[in-house]
Each structure stands twice: as C-alpha cells, then as structure tokens.
Amino acid sequence: MIEKFSISRDDAIYECFPDVCMITSGRLVLTYRESDGHSAAEYTHLVRRTSDDLGATWSDKLYIVRSEVEGGVLFKWNCPRVSQLADGRVIILCDGYDVPPGESGSQYDSKTFLWTSADDGASFTGPVETPVCGIVPDKIIELASGRLLLASHVRDDDLGVYRQMVHISDDGAATWSAPITVCCTHHYQSCEGGMVQLPGGEVVCYMRDNSRTGIPGPKCISHDEGEDWIGPFDTMMDGLHRPAVGMTRDGEVLVLYRFMPGGPFAKNFFAYKESVESALEPLRGKQTGIIAPLDHDRHPQSDSSYSGWVHLPDGRFFAVNYIKDDAPMAQIRGYYFTVDEF
C-alpha cells in the first residue's frame, strides 16, 4: 500500500520541485522551491527542512535564499537538489538565471550555485557560483573513485534540439570541467538527465524526452566515469520526464518520474525498477524493468512529478513530490511505499 501525506501546503504559495537525501546520521534533508507559479514571475525562494524520524515529521522551514522581482527582472531560482558527499558535506544546489530572458534566452547564461553544510544540514553557507551552465541540474553524483558528476542541459538553438551535458570535478567540487555532451540528437529532445553509478563502475544517464509525444525516454551509458558516452538507447519508460535516479539497498535501479504521453499535462507520477543487467541492456525488448503508479493529479490544470527519494533502513522507500491535486497551488507531498508495489 502507498501511504500519501502532505509535508507542506500553503494555498497562497506554489510549492514545487522537491528533493531529499538521507545523510549518515539518519537525518533526512529536504529542499524545495516556493514561488508564485510554475514558471515564476514575481518571486522564488528556496526552502530547507529536516526530519529525524524517517520523514514522519518535519522541522519548520528555513530559507536558503530569497529572490523577488526588481526593476521588472526576477533572478529566478529554478530546481534545487540535495546530496551528501563521502566527506560528510551536504550540498544543496540550484540553477539560477534572470527572467527575462529566462528559459527562452541563452541557457548557457544560467549557472548552478552550491550551498554547503558541515553540520548534518543544520546550517548552510553559500551560495557559491559554479561555471556549470544549463538548467534543471541533477544532484551531485559521487563515484566510487571520488569523482563528482553534475548533469544539466541546454537547448541548442543552432540545432533546434536539447543537449544533455555533464560536468566533472576531481577536486571535491572546487573546480568543474567544461560541459561534456551526453546526448544531442534529433530523434529525442533529451534533457533533465538523472545519473547513477552501477556496481561495476558504469554510469547510466536516464533522460527526459521533451517532445511530449510519448516516445520512450532515452538513456546513455559511460564506461569511463562520464568522459565518453554510448547511446542513446530506448528505455521502457514511455513519456519519461524528470527522472530521479538511484540504487536501492538490494542493488537495483529505481527511477521516479513524471509520465507525460501527451495531452493533459503532468497527470501521473510513476516509479520504475530494473536490474543492473537491464540498465546496461541497449535493446528495449531485452530490458526487464517494472513500472508502478504512485500518484495521480486530479486538478484540471494538473502539475506534478519532479521528485526525490531515499531507501530507508527499514526497507521502505520514502519519496517527495510536488502536486496540485486537491490544492489550488502546488503542494509538497510525501510517500511511503515498498517493493511490493512492483
């Protein structure tokens, strides 16, 4: 059974784009955005909260940063993410850019900013601007070697398609490489990549297809820690938007995502689970993943399913999602579920 509950709902605020991580102390650290709407024209604030009981209750919200329109221009904080590195640092990141020009302008002008906590998420310092360009970054992925990967994307106006990219840091996020192309092809509108390292060292990047035609979302695979990529290959996830990707405690890949086949926007929140062998399989017909529905947005102007998740020590999954559903503005909803859903 899927247990659903509201983590935060304020009918005067558009609460959206959440992410969560579990740190070594067992604390959950949650971040999300407050704004006046999905696109945001008047303000964007980034929030952080913590839970010490596996997501059942949450601290009061604290603001990481606030931004309001000044002189007709809003510096827009877009999509925050959170993760913990092996050295204990908890890092919240977010892309930011001026509106206007916003997403219709040069997305290379958007930069990713970092906030860092050395006290289990109790306090954060920042922001620190990075050279990581593009929008809708993934959380920082730390490989077994210590290398860090940070994915983002831009729209390549010369080609008329999206370009999924990754940036590499080999010095603990002090510096970052120039963008490396993961996927850029006319067959897909590949963007919003979510990355995971498999036990054998391979890195898989699952991506949104932004054509809104319901075709399978693509994946690319790297065998050299993000420097070179093969693919793209079809996945079993049709209409894939905003994959939130990770490894489960029992060694499988789990992807939470928005199902967007076309038609009404962002109605369904899905989970996809597959084996390592399936994740590495280039042929869709030989993949063995299983899809489970987690939620449905009944609002006539639905909007949902940028998410994050953790695998709890008791075996349950805990997920966070934004969804309109029964609220006039978007709310932050929590979920508990188990592998039985698959």
Side-chain angles (χ1 to χ4, degrees):
M1 178 180 295
I2 302 170
E3 182 181 349
K4 309 174 188 179
F5 55 96
S6 183
I7 293 175
S8 185
R9 173 175 168 173
D10 184 331
D11 288 351
I13 299 174
Y14 207 93
E15 299 168 294
C16 55
F17 313 149
D19 192 25
V20 65
C21 78
M22 172 171 278
I23 61 178
T24 51
S25 67
R27 168 174 286 177
L28 299 183
V29 180
L30 167 68
T31 185
Y32 56 91
R33 193 186 85 183
E34 295 183 345
S35 54
D36 56 302
H38 181 111
S39 297
E42 296 298 325
Y43 67 92
T44 55
H45 308 325
L46 299 185
V47 172
R48 61 181 172 88
R49 301 173 73 171
T50 58
S51 172
D52 292 311
D53 55 9
L54 304 182
T57 62
W58 291 88
S59 67
D60 292 338
K61 64 183 180 183
L62 294 171
Y63 287 101
I64 304 166
V65 66
R66 298 179 187 232
S67 179
E68 298 184 0
V69 66
E70 295 183 11
V73 176
L74 171 69
F75 187 82
K76 176 179 174 178
W77 296 108
N78 195 28
C79 293
R81 303 291 275 170
V82 59
S83 57
Q84 186 179 37
L85 304 185
D87 62 13
R89 286 180 294 162
V90 181
I91 296 182
I92 291 175
L93 61 83
C94 191
D95 52 326
Y97 47 87
D98 285 333
V99 176
E103 295 183 20
S104 61
S106 173
Q107 294 173 12
Y108 287 100
D109 292 336
S110 174
K111 292 295 186 290
T112 296
F113 297 77
L114 308 181
W115 293 261
T116 302
S117 172
D119 56 7
D120 289 341
S123 63
F124 283 83
T125 59
V128 173
E129 182 177 345
T130 76
V132 174
C133 58
I135 64 170
V136 193
D138 191 19
K139 62 178 67 189
I140 292 176
I141 303 301
E142 184 167 15
L143 306 184
S145 66
R147 170 172 283 186
L148 306 180
L149 302 182
L150 178 48
S152 65
H153 77 267
V154 295
R155 180 170 174 80
D156 191 315
D157 291 328
D158 291 336
L159 295 176
V161 295
Y162 286 90
R163 180 184 300 276
Q164 178 62 52
M165 309 178 300
V166 66
H167 306 72
I168 294 174
S169 176
D170 287 317
D171 55 11
T175 62
W176 294 90
S177 72
I180 296 168
T181 296
V182 175
C183 185
C184 186
T185 170
H186 285 279
H187 181 69
Y188 303 101
Q189 292 290 343
S190 52
C191 58
E192 295 185 359
M195 295 187 175
V196 64
Q197 186 176 38
L198 304 180
E202 307 91 348
V203 180
V204 182
C205 180
Y206 298 84
M207 290 163 279
R208 167 176 174 164
D209 170 71
N210 205 36
S211 67
R212 299 191 185 183
T213 60
I215 67 172
K219 68 181 178 184
C220 288
I221 301 170
S222 174
H223 294 276
D224 57 7
E225 299 193 326
E227 296 184 22
D228 298 282
W229 296 84
I230 60 172
F233 309 111
D234 281 353
T235 70
M236 294 180 66
M237 291 175 281
D238 296 344
L240 170 61
H241 277 206
R242 188 45 154 152
V245 187
M247 294 295 299
T248 69
R249 291 179 179 271
D250 51 358
E252 294 193 297
V253 176
L254 179 66
V255 184
L256 303 192
Y257 67 103
R258 171 197 291 162
F259 173 56
M260 184 59 200
F265 183 71
K267 282 286 187 185
N268 294 296
F269 180 37
F270 282 3
Y272 173 77
K273 182 174 69 69
E274 69 177 345
S275 67
V276 168
E277 293 76 17
S278 179
L280 290 172
E281 174 56 58
L283 297 178
R284 174 176 160 125
K286 294 185 177 181
Q287 295 166 21
T288 57
I290 302 173
I291 294 170
L294 296 181
D295 210 347
H296 179 73
D297 192 336
R298 296 160 184 82
H299 196 284
Q301 289 82 45
S302 53
D303 190 11
S304 174
S305 305
Y306 278 32
S307 61
W309 63 271
V310 297
H311 200 173
L312 300 175
D314 62 13
R316 294 177 300 165
F317 295 101
F318 171 75
V320 291
N321 179 38
Y322 87 102
I323 188 168
K324 279 188 171 181
D325 201 21
D326 58 347
M329 302 279 269
Q331 60 188 300
I332 305 299
R333 185 172 283 177
Y335 305 79
Y336 294 116
F337 63 98
T338 70
V339 292
D340 292 341
E341 297 304 320
F342 296 94

